[in-house]
Amino acid sequence: MTLKVAIAGVTGYSGEELLKILAYHPGVEITYVSAKQERSQKIQEIFPYLKGVLDLDCRVWDPEEACKAADMVFLSLPHSVSMASVPAVLKRGKKVIDISADYRFSEAGDYPRIYGFEHTDPVNLKQAVYGLPEMNRKAIGAARLLANPGCYPTGALLGLLPVHRMGLKLKSPCIIDAKSGVTGAGRKASKALMFPEVQENFRAYKVQAHPHEEEIKTHLGPVGWPGIAFVPHLLPVRRGILSTIYLQTEGPVIAEEVRKHAESIYAKEPFVRVLPEGSFPELAHVRGTNQCHIGIGFKERTQTLIVVTAIDNLQKGASGQAVQNMNIMCGLEETAGLR
Ligand SMILES: NC(=O)c1ccc[n+]([C@@H]2O[C@H](COP(=O)([O-])OP(=O)(O)OC[C@H]3O[C@@H](n4cnc5c(N)ncnc54)[C@H](OP(=O)(O)O)[C@@H]3O)[C@@H](O)[C@H]2O)c1
């Protein structure tokens, strides 16, 4: 049976990526797409590469219309916008995958501090499942409301999971030095994101506080480390996130053991690749795929374990992972439509 899906926010970067994946997914029919602004255009006119593939109006977002047309609703909307639609979609018995941050924390009280807004749907926060399949596959299979992880947290958590599960002790805070391509900021216009500002430039941003630091800490769980410090940077490329994670260990660590542990944790994971000794990930190798590549090394002199991860922010960091989650939630082949 074909699964009917709706996409809200289809004209944004993550929404368009969902469209590109789902239009060719063997078990899915896209039956509703929407944006904020009225366009009076078909989706195949907005994105001409879809001519002959889809024939759909791009509508102004209306949860009721979406639910009439589809069984699964993807919300690729700005933070604080999704939570206004989720209750209406769940009430109509449909499943929801929210790509925004609106359901990534289970406590409504965390939102004013982390995101600067009051949460209006605390009841459904309690049933939302955090959608990192490598951590949470069983719960994802039973979810009706799925909180798709943030892009930076996906790269960081996949790198940290093996180290955390090994119970490694650290003598200083874990440092996550992460760099993202510009599509990570969305399609909205902003001076800081204009081509002349970004091209041949490189800068850190939100150094003091970024909500993704809280998301990483929350979903990694108690670690017993002196802390986690996350700093994001803006790379002059379109897509991809490279995260270099520094872990100063209490005693000597054999990188080979950490690598073997990571290989065993991820042995059956279709989208995580642990690289051989001496190899480290590159954005070019994951771009356009749902894969996460992980490289592991150890600096003897400073006793620092180095874990490097690379993902495509629009794929494993957003829409690819959302489709992976849809596949799990709906009993489809987990890798269907993805590479
Ligand atoms: N970009 C990434 O790498 C990435 C990764 C992980 C998660 N996310 C999250 O995914 C969500 C979407 O991100 P994005 O980068 O795709 O954003 P974006 O490029 O700015 O697109 C936002 C989309 O939402 C629509 N929209 C905005 N306000 C709306 C409203 N009030 N009602 C209905 N539709 C509305 C926009 O329509 P118009 O075009 O008509 O304005 C557009 O289609 C965000 O929550 C973001 O944090 C993004």
Side-chain angles (χ1 to χ4, degrees), residues 9 11-14 36-37 39 77 79 100 183-184 186-187 313 317:
T11 49
Y13 285 139
S14 309
K36 181 181 185 186
Q37 298 155 43
R39 282 177 171 78
L77 301 171
H79 304 318
S100 85
T183 51
R187 209 167 221 148
N313 57 296

Side-chain angles (χ1 to χ4, degrees), residues 8-16 34-39 58-62 75-82 85 98-102 104 115 148-152 180-189 212 241 312-315 317-319:
V10 76
T11 49
Y13 285 139
S14 309
E16 184 187 356
S34 78
K36 181 181 185 186
Q37 298 155 43
E38 167 67 61
R39 282 177 171 78
C58 182
R59 302 185 177 280
V60 171
W61 172 232
D62 178 345
L75 300 177
S76 186
L77 301 171
H79 304 318
S80 83
V81 176
S82 287
S85 299
D98 178 29
I99 299 191
S100 85
D102 286 5
R104 292 183 199 152
Y115 274 98
N148 212 57
C151 48
Y152 283 121
S180 173
V182 187
T183 51
R187 209 167 221 148
K188 59 191 171 295
H212 284 178
I241 292 180
D312 182 325
N313 57 296
L314 293 177
Q315 283 265 335
S319 309

Side-chain angles (χ1 to χ4, degrees), residues 126-145:
K126 298 292 175 200
Q127 64 155 310
V129 173
Y130 189 69
L132 193 67
E134 294 76 8
M135 261 174 89
N136 234 2
R137 184 170 280 107
K138 200 165 164 220
I140 293 169
R144 292 179 63 232
L145 167 57

Side-chain angles (χ1 to χ4, degrees), residues 8-58:
V10 76
T11 49
Y13 285 139
S14 309
E16 184 187 356
E17 194 73 10
L18 275 172
L19 190 67
K20 283 181 181 165
I21 300 170
L22 293 170
Y24 297 96
H25 190 295
V28 160
E29 182 190 357
I30 304 173
T31 51
Y32 177 95
V33 292
S34 78
K36 181 181 185 186
Q37 298 155 43
E38 167 67 61
R39 282 177 171 78
S40 305
Q41 264 181 312
K42 296 255 185 187
I43 197 68
Q44 67 272 22
E45 289 161 359
I46 299 171
F47 300 121
Y49 53 80
L50 289 173
K51 274 192 182 140
V53 180
L54 285 179
D55 181 9
L56 270 179
D57 292 320
C58 182

Side-chain angles (χ1 to χ4, degrees), residues 212-285:
H212 284 178
E213 184 174 286
E214 296 297 327
E215 189 180 326
I216 295 164
K217 285 183 196 161
T218 301
H219 292 287
L220 193 59
V223 282
W225 297 342
I228 292 179
F230 162 78
V231 178
H233 300 74
L234 188 66
L235 274 179
V237 301
R238 291 192 68 227
R239 49 202 283 171
I241 292 180
L242 191 98
S243 305
T244 306
I245 306 174
Y246 300 81
L247 303 127
Q248 209 185 16
T249 55
E250 270 187 357
V253 165
I254 300 168
E256 192 53 29
E257 274 177 22
V258 182
R259 190 175 310 106
K260 284 217 159 67
H261 189 73
E263 278 167 1
S264 76
I265 285 182
Y266 293 133
K268 292 194 179 138
E269 291 300 338
F271 297 111
V272 183
R273 312 256 183 282
V274 181
L275 304 184
E277 186 191 352
S279 293
F280 289 90
E282 298 182 27
L283 293 187
H285 294 165

